Amino acid sequence: MRKKMPSKPSKEIHFTSEIRVRFVETDPLGIVWHGNYIQYFEDGREAFGRHHGISYLDQKDFNFSTPIVKSSSEHKLPLRYGDVATVKTTFVDSPAAKMIFKYEILNPSGEVACTGETVQVFVELGGELSLTIPDFFKEWKRKVGLLDD
């Protein structure tokens, strides 16, 4: 029988932001339509990127984009028109050339309304998928304490 090696805990970085539910994001009952939570994930990701220096514009400056290749969400409680919700965005470190984000959206009472995850890969602006971690991303990981070397 093989002995299972202890896994190294993944490092994470968080950022918390707020969104206000707009009228256009709700159904006739004033409840947020489920598809809009993906937009809230993006709002959280953009706020995270601006705060931590890894925004889409920063990536573009290095000739890369990071399209989403996977997304998932689980809906727990509804958000309603006018609610100010909290979006907790967590970057989960990975040794692969990708960005993994987890999300927790809290209603105004602090209860979990939705959770989710997105996975993004690095693509050179010319269209080539990067199979290795781009240098600028390695440098960013060093800067925020995710790489020790």
Side-chain angles (χ1 to χ4, degrees):
M1 183 153 113
R2 284 187 131 165
K3 189 174 184 180
K4 191 173 183 178
M5 297 296 293
S7 62
K8 188 176 179 182
S10 65
K11 296 181 181 177
E12 300 178 340
I13 300 174
H14 310 279
F15 187 74
T16 301
S17 55
E18 291 184 340
I19 53 103
R20 180 177 297 277
V21 175
R22 300 178 314 156
F23 177 77
V24 71
E25 298 164 344
T26 62
D27 65 16
L29 298 175
I31 296 171
V32 171
W33 176 67
H34 68 277
N36 285 316
Y37 288 88
I38 296 293
Q39 176 66 48
Y40 300 158
F41 294 170
E42 182 175 359
D43 293 341
R45 210 169 42 251
E46 289 213 0
F48 176 98
R50 285 189 304 272
H51 180 78
H52 288 291
I54 194 72
S55 72
Y56 290 125
L57 292 175
D58 295 321
Q59 296 168 36
K60 186 179 175 190
D61 287 345
F62 290 98
N63 204 35
F64 280 92
S65 65
T66 51
I68 291 176
V69 295
K70 179 182 174 187
S71 64
S72 64
S73 61
E74 291 187 27
H75 306 274
K76 313 289 186 182
L77 295 170
L79 291 177
R80 301 179 187 286
Y81 172 60
D83 281 353
V84 175
T86 301
V87 181
K88 181 179 178 185
T89 304
T90 302
F91 173 82
V92 180
D93 192 26
S94 167
K98 63 184 175 181
M99 299 176 82
I100 302 169
F101 288 96
K102 292 189 178 207
Y103 310 90
E104 199 173 59
I105 299 176
L106 308 175
N107 68 15
S109 300
E111 301 167 300
V112 176
C114 182
T115 60
E117 180 178 294
T118 57
V119 178
Q120 296 168 258
V121 295
F122 290 95
V123 175
E124 293 180 36
L125 290 182
E128 282 291 316
L129 174 67
S130 180
L131 299 177
T132 59
I133 299 173
D135 289 339
F136 84 92
F137 191 56
K138 282 183 193 172
E139 186 54 38
W140 176 79
K141 288 173 97 173
R142 267 189 207 93
K143 183 175 137 188
V144 297
L146 296 174
L147 284 180
D148 298 327
D149 58 349

